[in-house]
Structures are given as structure tokens and as C-alpha cells.
Amino acid sequence: MEAEYSAFFTGGQVIWTSEGNQMLCHCNDAIKIVDLNSGLITSSLGGSDDDVDEDTIYCFGLSRDNQFVISAHKSGLIKLWSLPDNKVVKMWRSIHKGPIAKITFDGVGNTVATGGSDGTAKTWDILHQTCTHSFKGAQGVFSILVFHPD
């Protein structure tokens, strides 16, 4: 049996699923899902063979139940992906004044927080794709953004 390996990580984020059997890796304009037992890429979110359609992913997050991935893009779009289906299920435009540096789910999976290079953090209702809160006054770009576990 022969296996061919290809690039699955080009720098940026790496997130492990809660079971620890897969990792999601930042790879240019895609998120590669790698099976850690076989070492092979099992699927990909985003990405394009056509440079015209490339929409670089700045950051992404994984829901606690491993069902959804949220990604922030150079175009200003936020995309909600179904991980089992490898498809975009919702998409909306960010209202940050600049790139989103961090994005994360809350514990339930209904709210997402974004930290922008504009010094604001925002919370989003992902069911309605609306910004519910905007927090201003941070100095610089967000490097950490998490919800309290409770």
C-alpha cells in the first residue's frame, strides 16, 4: 500500500478535536482535517484550485461538540461550516474595521466571539448572524479570546 502526503499546515492555528483523533490545521485558504492515526488529510474546508476565488482564512474555531467550525476571512466574511458535511451552512459579513485576529465559540455553540485588529471584541448570535455586543478599548490586536467555561 502506498500513501502520498501533501502539505496540511502552512502556519497559523492548529486545533485538536475533543476526542483527540483529528486535528484541524490552517493551510493557506483552507482548513485541513488530519486523521492522527493514519496521518492523512481526511477532508478540507475551503480552499480553491482557482486563485481568483481564494479567500484567505485569518483564524478559525471549533465548537465543543466538534460539529461546527467558524472561520474569519480576508474578504470580511465569517463562515459557519458543518464539519461532518464539509459545507458552509451560514455566512455573514463582519463589522470589524479590519481583520479578525481571533474567533471562538461559547460552551453551548450559539454564540461566537471575535477579536479584531481594530481593538474591539464582538459577540455574535450565530442563529441570526447578528452582532449582539461590541466591546471597545482594547490596546492592539487580540492574541487570546476565550469564553469562561461556566
Side-chain angles (χ1 to χ4, degrees), residues 8-121:
F8 63 88
F9 179 67
T10 56
Q13 286 182 270
V14 175
I15 297 176
W16 280 263
T17 58
S18 56
E19 296 89 13
N21 59 346
Q22 292 181 316
M23 71 178 173
L24 286 71
C25 302
H26 205 163
C27 189
N28 295 323
D29 62 337
I31 300 166
K32 302 289 185 175
I33 295 91
V34 179
D35 179 272
L36 295 177
N37 294 321
S38 67
L40 298 174
I41 298 169
T42 58
S43 59
S44 181
L45 304 175
S48 170
D49 294 332
D50 183 6
D51 290 338
V52 175
D53 294 325
E54 183 175 311
D55 191 9
T56 302
I57 296 172
Y58 285 146
C59 57
F60 65 93
L62 177 65
S63 63
R64 287 192 185 169
D65 63 3
N66 300 320
Q67 294 300 302
F68 297 99
V69 173
I70 191 94
S71 57
H73 297 257
K74 182 178 182 179
S75 65
L77 291 175
I78 297 172
K79 296 180 182 179
L80 179 67
W81 303 81
S82 167
L83 189 55
D85 301 326
N86 295 330
K87 293 184 181 176
V88 174
V89 292
K90 294 187 180 194
M91 182 174 20
W92 66 96
R93 185 146 312 274
S94 162
I95 56 173
H96 282 278
K97 294 177 183 162
I100 293 174
K102 291 291 174 185
I103 192 165
T104 189
F105 280 95
D106 71 343
V108 178
N110 294 330
T111 303
V112 169
T114 55
S117 61
D118 58 358
T120 65

